[in-house]
């Protein structure tokens, strides 16, 4: 028998509370401290915890998209294909910075199917269009 488990992606940054609020607003979730010391904040949506943000006073953001640097890890936020432009506007209004990328061949009806960004602390994420409703967690394929 396998022990029940769950997982969450944790992003390191110098100031976790503002970054947790950024993702909570972007994802329509809530953010709050996981511990009393403010070192870890959890972003929680209707399906449970979706992201953690941890204080690291020595954090240096990745220099992606420079070709010689690794992206390390990134968050992929799924939206309906017809909502891609609106999701991009929401992200930018909240403080995301668009990242230009070379053509990668991902097209949907002659439109790019994903948009690349860095969050206010410099972590990379993409907003990706999917052909089906992205809200159910069961049955979707990346």
């Amino acid at each position: 028998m396998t022990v029940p488990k769950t997982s969450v992606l944790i992003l390191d940054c110098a100031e976790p509370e503002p970054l947790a609020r950024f993702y909570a607003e972007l994802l329509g979730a809530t953010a709050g401290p996981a511990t009393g010391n403010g070192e870890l904040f959890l972003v929680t949506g209707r399906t449970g915890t979706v992201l953690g943000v941890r204080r690291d006073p020595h954090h240096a953001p990745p220099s992606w998209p420079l070709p010689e640097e690794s992206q390390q890890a990134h968050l992929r936020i799924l939206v309906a294909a017809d909502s891609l432009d609106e999701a991009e506007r929401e992200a930018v209004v909240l403080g995301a910075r668009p990242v230009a990328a070379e053509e990668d061949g991902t097209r949907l009806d002659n439109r790019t199917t994903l948009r690349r960004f860095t969050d206010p602390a410099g972590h990379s994420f993409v907003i990706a269009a999917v052909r089906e409703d992205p809200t159910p967690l069961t049955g979707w394929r990346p």
Side-chain angles (χ1 to χ4, degrees), residues 2-142:
T2 302
V3 174
K5 299 173 186 74
T6 189
S7 63
V8 63
L9 176 65
I10 303 290
L11 298 177
D12 290 345
C13 67
E15 296 295 329
E17 187 173 7
L19 190 61
R21 283 195 312 265
F22 165 83
Y23 278 110
E25 288 185 43
L26 184 62
L27 298 172
T30 60
T35 61
N37 62 10
E39 296 297 311
L40 176 65
F41 284 77
L42 296 178
V43 178
T44 306
R46 58 187 148 83
T47 60
T49 301
V50 295
L51 185 65
V53 182
R54 183 185 75 91
R55 182 180 313 281
D56 176 358
H58 306 291
H59 172 71
S63 59
W64 178 84
L66 296 176
E68 65 273 7
E69 297 296 328
S70 156
Q71 191 175 13
Q72 296 178 3
H74 72 278
L75 180 64
R76 182 168 289 230
I77 299 169
L78 305 176
V79 299
D82 61 355
S83 298
L84 188 59
D85 291 336
E86 183 178 353
E88 178 178 24
R89 283 189 294 275
E90 289 174 355
V92 171
V93 165
L94 290 170
R97 293 179 299 277
V99 174
E102 295 178 19
E103 179 61 41
D104 64 2
T106 54
R107 307 293 272 176
L108 177 65
D109 300 328
N110 293 328
R111 292 181 50 210
T112 305
T113 62
L114 59 88
R115 312 282 167 85
R116 294 168 174 84
F117 303 89
T118 58
D119 67 24
H123 302 102
S124 56
F125 72 95
V126 299
I127 299 176
V130 293
R131 294 185 196 287
E132 298 174 9
D133 181 0
T135 53
L137 291 181
T138 56
W140 72 270
R141 290 179 202 85

